Amino acid sequence: MSEHASKLYPAPEALARAAHVPGMAAYEKLVAEAREDYEGYWSRLARELVSWKKPFTKALDQSNAPFFKWFEDGTLNVSYNCLDKNVEAGLGDKTAIIFEADDGKVTKVSYKALLDKTCQMANALKAQGVKKGDRVVIYMSMSVEGVVAMQACARIGATHSVVFGGFSAQSLRDRIEDARAVMVITADEQLRGGKQLPLKAIVDEAIGLGGCDSIKSVIVYKRTGGNIAWTAGRDQWMHELTAQQSTTCEPEWVSAEHPLFLLYTSGSTGKPKGVQHSTGGYLLMAALTTKWTFDLKPDDIFWCTADIGWVTGHTYIAYGPLALGATEIVFEGVPTYPDAGRFWKMIQDHKVSIFYTAPTAIRSLIKAAESNEAVHPKKYDLSSLRILGSVGEPINPAAWEWYHEHVGGGRCPIVDTFWQTETGGHMITPLPGATPLVPGSCTLPFPGIDAAVVDETGKDVPWGQGGILVVKKPWPSMIRTIWGDPERFKKSYYPADFQGKYYLAGDGAIRDEKTGYFTITGRIDDVLNVSGHRMGTMEIESALVSCTDLVAEAAVVGRPDETTGEAICAFVVLKRPRPTGDEAKAIAKQLRDWVGKEIGPIAKPKDIRFGDNLPKTRSGKIMRRLLRSVAKGEAVTQDTSTLENPAILDQLGQAY
Ligand code: 6R9
């Protein structure tokens, strides 16, 4: 057997027989159906998976490409599809959400209760003057209330923009200002790993920074009861507002193209982009990918460990599982508290059958399990698991094997799902009852997704040869535009290089010579992936140089990191003589704190290196390729003949 063949994991037979997509022949059939009648294929699924108030008459409108429209004359409501529809189908008493708090306290919420809460919240939003099309920023911890806030916005046709609770006041302010949001929904504090962390105080700070005049009210969920400041007239307690509200609220029936949400993500410039998603096409893919990729069945207990602040938490917590009437876990805490066995204990306690997490989490839990037997997954009963998933970054084969063997007991397929904030749902992924798995490969496109690997001119490259990942045909849940910046949308995703025809993912990929399986080789732009979180190098650079008292110039690159995938390395020129020793350490700390304040803790550079200046070509360009070698600790083998000041390479050798 060749090395390749020995690494193939076929779909377990029993699972394959009963799966939604049972075997490769079934997969191929769907692929063929989409190839032969693309619009017919998506229309069929859109009718099967989505309830329409008014049926659509046309699937895809390409008349204003690349601003594609799907199912545009159809009307629907996402919250109706996630809640009312299930209650009407007799699932009112079924548990929708099992919420486990940081301290382990468990609360179960039925579909009926979730619908009631959502209607009360929706009515409260309306009473505050929020209207269809208004933007509402949600800056919340992982909570039932966070999901309710999202569903309530959807119910009244308001467009939500969830901002991850780890972002700083400055980042929050920028997003509020860009979206011109009318309201912020937040909590007094969040609880993570036994610690009380501020949320409301950061909202106050963000609004205090100015530029947020669009905000009329701040709704506060009382989570900890901690001390917070209060602005009378603007701030309102969520429980007080909702208590008086009716538990019925007629859904706002919107066009399929109505913007359901904005989600800001990093790009290759300093300014995050507000990715705008639709209602109908997005809901279709959220439901369909949840169903097929995880082979979701009525009795499954589904757990996606992502935060609702990221796209994974949108599609696979707030929308997909609920649209299918599933029971899902919402977890407030962190994987290492009270110890690194928390995930395994929760799988055991709640009999989780589908578990979806990130490679970073797996790698850090491997480390923990290797140094402490007590938190090794073998100490727990994980026999309820049937399917495992991975998302956010490439999963290295060693982590894959460990996940497969120690968490999945060798019996659970791992779906390595490649997708992006912009794609709305899975793009390239195995289907558990069909696709034979190869560790480290996200395998084949989801049926109907026309993914390809091309060269700079847009020509397909042969299998076995690396290139640029593109999607050739528009798909229902694709990004519609960048909020307020259609030109940037075109430039970023439909560049002239491909005559504006193909969607550019921003990742490199290679297809296996024999199987055609895709492996993602990483970003080809200036975006880093740190613990599965996207960070723009330019964003961190501009945060550093905004420390004008200290920093003259900065360049940021990534280097591989065993646990976080990539680590952020900053090269900094100060406005004072280059520091060394303790002084350098102290300034490095100061700069990290600064970046933490400007963007958020996830953006803090791991390494900071100081130079008298940065390596530049004679024409003044920073030699980033060379900086990447320095960051990796590699000997510099590149041609340095164009380097203006070779001596500084020595200075940059020391990281603080
Ligand atoms: C869902 C999500 C998107 C970027 C993407 C790519 C990387 C995500 C991956 C993966 C390899 C996978 N990425 N999943 N790389 N294998 N299974 O993570 O969205 O935060 O927008 O990040 O993440 O580089 O371009 P987002």
Side-chain angles (χ1 to χ4, degrees):
M1 242 205 259
S2 74
E3 206 213 330
H4 179 246
S6 69
K7 279 189 178 165
L8 218 97
Y9 293 77
E13 239 175 69
L15 195 153
R17 260 198 309 276
H20 288 300
V21 181
M24 277 315 270
Y27 168 81
E28 296 294 354
K29 208 172 140 203
L30 291 164
V31 171
E33 182 188 345
R35 195 185 322 116
E36 279 148 30
D37 178 8
Y38 195 65
E39 290 189 44
Y41 169 80
W42 288 117
S43 299
R44 171 175 76 81
L45 293 166
R47 288 188 195 104
E48 281 174 27
L49 282 125
V50 176
S51 278
W52 299 86
K53 179 72 173 173
K54 174 170 155 271
F56 57 90
T57 58
K58 184 176 167 50
L60 173 61
D61 175 358
Q62 314 210 45
S63 59
N64 188 26
F67 299 93
F68 300 102
K69 290 174 176 166
W70 284 89
F71 317 118
E72 196 192 5
D73 66 348
T75 65
L76 74 161
N77 181 279
V78 164
S79 121
Y80 173 85
N81 270 271
C82 294
L83 304 171
D84 311 58
K85 187 171 124 180
N86 293 315
V87 173
E88 286 164 17
L91 299 178
D93 292 332
K94 181 173 176 175
T95 299
I97 294 178
I98 302 173
F99 174 71
E100 181 161 321
D102 190 56
D103 65 4
K105 188 168 174 284
V106 174
T107 318
K108 294 188 180 175
V109 185
S110 69
Y111 270 94
K112 178 73 179 79
L114 196 60
L115 172 60
D116 288 354
K117 280 175 185 286
T118 297
C119 287
Q120 286 187 306
M121 181 76 121
N123 287 327
L125 297 186
K126 285 206 277 195
Q128 291 295 303
V130 180
K131 295 183 304 294
K132 175 181 170 189
D134 284 346
R135 276 80 54 212
V136 171
V137 163
I138 299 175
Y139 186 68
M140 274 279 247
S141 54
M142 286 297 288
S143 52
V144 172
E145 287 69 16
V147 175
V148 166
M150 294 165 82
Q151 287 283 346
C153 287
R155 193 161 193 94
I156 65 170
T159 300
H160 61 66
S161 174
V162 184
V163 177
F164 173 58
F167 276 118
S168 67
Q170 183 67 47
S171 296
L172 176 60
R173 189 212 78 92
D174 293 348
R175 286 156 173 77
I176 291 172
E177 185 183 43
D178 190 75
R180 289 182 308 284
V182 300
M183 171 187 274
V184 181
I185 303 178
T186 189
D188 50 358
E189 294 179 311
Q190 56 180 332
L191 270 172
R192 286 171 68 81
K195 290 197 210 87
Q196 284 176 228
L197 303 168
L199 282 173
K200 170 63 164 60
I202 296 173
V203 174
D204 290 341
E205 197 189 332
I207 295 176
L209 289 168
C212 301
D213 302 341
S214 54
I215 295 292
K216 303 281 182 297
S217 45
V218 174
I219 310 293
V220 187
Y221 163 55
K222 194 181 227 171
R223 174 62 187 99
T224 63
N227 241 331
I228 53 171
W230 203 254
T231 303
R234 183 197 73 185
D235 300 349
Q236 319 262 4
W237 285 113
M238 184 184 282
H239 60 271
E240 289 178 1
L241 284 185
T242 52
Q244 334 140 9
Q245 297 296 341
S246 155
T247 53
T248 54
C249 171
E250 173 68 9
E252 181 80 35
W253 305 104
V254 298
S255 153
E257 280 298 316
H258 183 72
L260 177 65
F261 67 87
L262 309 180
L263 185 55
Y264 284 82
T265 190
S266 298
S268 34
T269 74
K271 194 172 172 266
K273 25 192 191 188
V275 172
Q276 180 180 321
H277 276 287
S278 72
T279 295
Y282 172 80
L283 180 66
L284 165 60
M285 285 294 277
L288 180 67
T289 54
T290 306
K291 183 169 174 179
W292 286 357
T293 306
F294 299 112
D295 188 39
L296 191 105
K297 303 278 173 51
D299 291 338
D300 276 312
I301 307 286
F302 181 85
W303 184 16
C304 165
T305 69
D307 192 285
I308 52 167
W310 308 111
V311 75
T312 307
H314 281 59
T315 307
Y316 301 105
I317 295 177
Y319 295 117
L322 298 177
L324 296 173
T327 298
E328 65 172 336
I329 310 274
V330 171
F331 176 43
E332 178 178 41
V334 299
T336 47
Y337 177 82
D339 60 41
R342 183 70 181 266
F343 276 2
W344 321 136
K345 183 169 185 310
M346 283 180 62
I347 293 172
Q348 170 180 283
D349 289 353
H350 301 297
K351 301 200 165 33
V352 171
S353 56
I354 305 172
F355 179 64
Y356 190 33
T357 195
T360 300
I362 297 164
R363 285 192 295 264
S364 68
L365 296 178
I366 294 175
K367 254 202 216 161
E370 281 172 352
S371 61
N372 176 11
E373 275 270 295
V375 298
H376 195 285
K378 70 182 173 204
K379 296 283 179 192
Y380 300 82
D381 176 5
L382 305 183
S383 57
S384 56
L385 287 170
R386 26 183 231 113
I387 285 152
L388 302 175
S390 171
V391 61
E393 52 184 317
I395 178 162
N396 50 305
W400 195 103
E401 298 281 0
W402 189 92
Y403 193 27
H404 189 256
E405 181 182 339
H406 296 289
V407 182
R411 30 162 242 290
C412 307
I414 298 177
V415 288
D416 175 2
T417 60
F418 168 83
W419 62 296
Q420 309 175 295
T421 303
E422 294 86 342
T423 71
H426 300 150
M427 298 300 279
I428 308 181
T429 177
L431 302 184
T435 324
L437 307 173
V438 173
S441 167
C442 52
T443 74
L444 296 168
F446 192 84
I449 299 300
D450 195 3
V453 182
V454 300
D455 65 17
E456 286 76 15
T457 66
K459 242 182 60 224
D460 280 44
V461 301
W463 290 5
Q465 200 174 302
I468 300 165
L469 181 66
V470 297
V471 185
K472 292 187 171 175
K473 289 199 191 100
W475 66 100
S477 63
M478 67 189 298
I479 172 176
R480 292 307 194 263
T481 187
I482 292 174
W483 178 256
D485 202 346
E487 277 313 307
R488 190 175 174 199
F489 164 77
K490 275 208 252 184
K491 244 177 68 191
S492 312
Y493 302 109
Y494 282 90
D497 316 34
F498 310 127
Q499 293 83 47
K501 277 194 198 140
Y502 299 160
Y503 169 83
L504 177 74
D507 284 283
I510 183 166
R511 301 189 67 167
D512 183 83
E513 245 171 306
K514 292 195 197 77
T515 56
Y517 275 18
F518 288 74
T519 292
I520 306 300
T521 50
R523 298 290 302 193
I524 51 173
D525 52 11
D526 296 317
V527 173
L528 305 182
N529 191 322
V530 183
S531 298
H533 299 147
R534 272 165 71 166
M535 295 301 326
T537 54
M538 294 263 289
E539 255 175 274
I540 306 168
E541 283 167 12
S542 37
L544 282 166
V545 296
S546 73
C547 186
T548 48
D549 289 349
L550 265 178
V551 179
E553 208 180 3
V556 168
V557 300
R559 67 159 169 79
D561 181 274
E562 258 195 19
T563 308
T564 58
E566 270 188 299
I568 301 168
C569 305
F571 293 84
V572 178
V573 180
L574 295 179
K575 286 185 172 167
R576 60 165 89 170
R578 179 171 57 87
T580 52
D582 285 346
E583 194 200 356
K585 271 190 214 155
I587 295 178
K589 177 172 183 309
Q590 210 178 326
L591 291 179
R592 272 187 200 103
D593 290 346
W594 177 269
V595 174
K597 237 184 95 268
E598 286 293 299
I599 306 177
I602 50 171
K604 286 186 181 181
K606 185 151 186 186
D607 300 346
I608 296 186
R609 296 166 189 263
F610 298 102
D612 290 334
N613 41 44
L614 296 173
K616 288 187 186 156
T617 62
R618 277 166 222 274
S619 63
K621 278 212 174 84
I622 296 175
M623 299 175 78
R624 286 172 190 277
R625 218 159 38 90
L626 189 145
L627 290 180
R628 280 193 276 270
S629 299
V630 174
K632 272 192 218 166
E634 282 175 0
V636 173
T637 53
Q638 287 106 330
D639 180 7
T640 51
S641 59
T642 57
L643 181 60
E644 205 186 353
N645 40 5
I648 59 151
L649 284 184
D650 289 337
Q651 300 173 359
L652 298 173
Q654 179 66 46
Y656 294 95

